[in-house]
């Protein structure tokens, strides 16, 4: 069928799709971007390690200065990396799609090999296809869930706090507190289930968050802005024109994908290979790491993160951010394994091999 031709067809205008469309437009390519609600405002809070981001991401898209966050596992740790929280509306505006032909429609058929896209409205587009529509929820997919509130406060940046001042028992599924500045004098306090199959419900996380904040002298009035989070941390598949979470860029052990998508946008636009053999191997190791996390008994979760954040900073970075750093990822996993108690090593060994 005859249709509209463009050099690039981007399906989905979330952060990953918008980043690709923006970078392609900057290069002067003809771009069509298709999304059911292209004008929707992003409301999620995104953050990134500063050293993950490409040079073209400017300081104006951040909510404030960076910080070296704290982690509480069995004890306190300072992460020796700068962590930055995005000002979400500014990030969305900075990824401008001026010059892009934006279509408000739902994609119903994608053939990346043939270079064609069909929409629910019957339109057909031809060109190189980038499918950035994310990953759908499914019972078999592990999810990350969170419930957060924004309050007036001036607290340290905390990447993870696994302490049990949230009312949960030591043998109940674990959740952690995430605390970051989202504006001057305003903090997001978020109770997070890192990964679960099934994940903890937002209602339970809300109860835990309120309990935790009361223990710290913070009483909520009930009028605070609320953030609810729920998304799969697995299910993306490299190749086939897929990108962002859909293309396997979500980190299965953290749920992060925005920084990786921003960093990879130019590579994809230029038509260069993103998923090398080393990158695919790293992704497989990270999936094994997710299986290990899901298999850990609740009491051993903080033990695991105590050992992880005892790793040298370079090894932490390799595992968290090294897209194709196979040597560093293997070194981090080997050092972590050696530093864990025997009972935890047994769990990790069986679960990472899919035997648990």
């Amino acid at each position: 069928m005859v249709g509209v031709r463009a050099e690039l067809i981007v399906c989905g205008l979330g952060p990953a799709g918008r980043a690709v469309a923006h970078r392609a437009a900057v290069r002067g390519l003809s771009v069509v971007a298709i999304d059911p609600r292209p004008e929707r405002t992003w409301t999620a809070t995104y953050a990134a390690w500063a050293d993950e981001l490409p040079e073209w991401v400017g300081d104006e898209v951040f909510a404030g200065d960076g910080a070296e966050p704290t982690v509480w596992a069995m004890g306190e740790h300072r992460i020796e990396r700068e962590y930055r929280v995005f000002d979400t509306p500014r990030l969305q505006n900075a990824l401008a799609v001026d010059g892009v032909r934006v279509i408000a429609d739902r994609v119903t058929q994608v053939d990346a090999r043939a270079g064609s896209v069909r929409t629910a409205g019957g339109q057909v587009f031809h060109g190189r296809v980038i499918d950035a529509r994310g990953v759908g929820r499914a019972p078999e997919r592990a999810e990350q869930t969170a419930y957060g509130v924004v309050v007036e406060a001036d607290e340290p940046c905390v990447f993870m706090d696994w302490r049990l001042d949230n009312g949960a028992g030591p043998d109940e599924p674990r959740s952690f507190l995430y605390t970051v500045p989202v504006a001057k004098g305003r903090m997001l306090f978020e109770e997070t289930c890192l990964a679960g199959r099934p994940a903890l419900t937002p209602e339970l996380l809300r109860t835990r968050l309120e309990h935790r904040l009361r223990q710290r002298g913070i009483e909520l009035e009930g009028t605070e802005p609320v953030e609810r989070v729920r998304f799969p941390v697995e299910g993306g598949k490299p190749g086939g024109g897929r990108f962002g979470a859909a293309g396997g860029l979500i980190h299965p052990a953290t749920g992060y994908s925005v920084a990786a998508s921003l960093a990879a946008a130019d590579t994809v636009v230029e038509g260069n290979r993103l998923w090398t053999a080393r990158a695919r191997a790293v992704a497989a190791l990270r999936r094994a790491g997710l299986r290990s996390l899901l298999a850990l008994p609740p009491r051993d979760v903080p033990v695991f993160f105590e050992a992880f954040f005892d790793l040298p900073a370079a090894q932490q970075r390799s595992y968290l951010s090294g897209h194709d750093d196979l040597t560093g990822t293997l070194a981090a996993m080997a050092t972590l394994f050696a530093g864990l108690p025997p009972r935890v090593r047994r769990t990790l060994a069986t679960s990472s091999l899919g035997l648990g």
Side-chain angles (χ1 to χ4, degrees), residues 125-175:
F125 300 90
H126 300 287
R128 185 159 67 94
V129 178
I130 302 297
D131 188 353
R133 291 177 293 167
V135 178
R137 294 180 58 199
E140 69 275 10
R141 290 176 180 164
E143 291 185 322
Q144 182 171 123
T145 52
Y147 181 92
V149 294
V150 176
V151 301
E152 293 185 6
D154 186 13
E155 299 280 338
C157 180
V158 178
F159 187 63
M160 290 179 170
D161 188 342
W162 292 100
R163 290 177 293 181
L164 284 177
D165 60 345
N166 60 0
D171 293 313
E172 294 183 73
R174 289 294 181 113
S175 58

Side-chain angles (χ1 to χ4, degrees), residues 309-346:
F309 288 105
D310 269 342
L311 294 176
Q315 291 188 358
Q316 292 180 32
R317 186 191 185 284
S318 292
Y319 187 78
L320 293 174
S321 307
H323 173 70
D324 60 356
D325 184 1
L326 181 57
T327 301
T329 300
L330 285 169
M333 296 179 79
T335 306
L336 171 64
F337 189 81
L340 289 166
R343 70 176 189 281
V344 181
R345 291 205 297 265
R346 286 193 294 272

